Amino acid sequence: MQTQKIGVLGIGNLLLRDEGFGVHFIEKFNHLYRIPENVQVLDGGTAGIMLAPFIEDVDVLYVIDTVSLDSAPGSIHRFTDQDVRSGNIQTRMSPHQVGLLEILSLCELRGRSPEKVEMITVVPEDLSTGIGLSPRLAPRIDEVLDILIKRLASHGVVLEEKEQAARA
């Protein structure tokens, strides 16, 4: 049996406080864990269409991002790309939503899209200009890490913590 290639993609703009959640997440994920060969991790920042080669190269894709919902800041929500496309979500996701969905559609047209896409998102509190997450969102990184670790385990991926790395 061939091992699935799994992608973990963090998206966000570090210059707009909580909008950088996905990028901060990837930094901590890489700091804490030894990443197995079949798991590819990318800080996608605001790269847009340049993300297509990464997305086309994986069987399963997890996207970490912020979401604009009428929900409490800091709340965590999970969606599939089908949830978004089917209209089950009656709101715009993040500033990258259109770009990400367009990229996924392009990958589909080219016959090279992931079998499964899941978005693990957090509602931002502060989108002002500045670096660093708000006090409400900073602790959500560990919660999203726990969710992702369980999702990866469902694919048989067991992450090993790096020595000397602490969840501080």
Side-chain angles (χ1 to χ4, degrees):
M1 180 178 140
Q2 186 178 6
T3 304
Q4 283 186 313
K5 289 176 87 176
I6 300 170
V8 178
L9 173 62
I11 299 176
N13 185 337
L14 286 175
L15 302 177
L16 298 176
R17 301 280 319 227
D18 290 346
E19 172 62 24
F21 185 86
V23 175
H24 289 289
F25 175 88
I26 292 298
E27 181 181 347
K28 188 159 189 179
F29 184 65
N30 280 327
H31 175 74
L32 289 176
Y33 297 101
R34 288 187 175 84
I35 310 299
E37 285 186 26
N38 69 312
V39 176
Q40 303 299 313
V41 180
L42 180 66
D43 163 359
T46 57
I49 194 70
M50 301 302 288
L51 299 173
F54 177 82
I55 293 170
E56 290 177 342
D57 194 43
V58 298
D59 302 309
V60 177
L61 177 65
Y62 290 97
V63 179
I64 313 301
D65 199 0
T66 56
V67 62
S68 178
L69 289 175
D70 186 19
S71 192
S75 59
I76 298 169
H77 303 269
R78 291 175 28 199
F79 306 104
T80 65
D81 59 328
Q82 290 85 11
D83 287 332
V84 177
R85 287 188 179 135
S86 69
N88 291 339
I89 303 168
Q90 299 299 323
T91 186
R92 179 182 155 116
M93 297 279 281
S94 75
H96 331 289
Q97 177 200 11
V98 173
L100 179 61
L101 293 179
E102 287 173 347
I103 295 165
L104 288 170
S105 295
L106 175 65
C107 295
E108 265 180 41
L109 286 172
R110 293 165 42 125
R112 297 171 61 187
S113 65
E115 298 164 18
K116 177 181 174 163
V117 176
E118 184 174 329
M119 299 170 196
I120 306 171
T121 63
V122 179
V123 176
E125 179 178 55
D126 182 355
L127 296 176
S128 65
T129 303
I131 297 175
L133 297 174
S134 67
R136 187 178 308 244
L137 256 65
R140 297 300 185 262
I141 287 181
D142 286 338
E143 293 175 47
V144 173
L145 275 170
D146 290 341
I147 292 168
L148 180 64
I149 290 166
K150 288 176 185 162
R151 299 303 302 136
L152 291 173
S154 74
H155 298 284
V157 175
V158 178
L159 295 174
E160 180 183 335
E161 286 194 44
K162 291 180 180 176
E163 295 173 28
Q164 307 296 329
R167 283 193 179 197

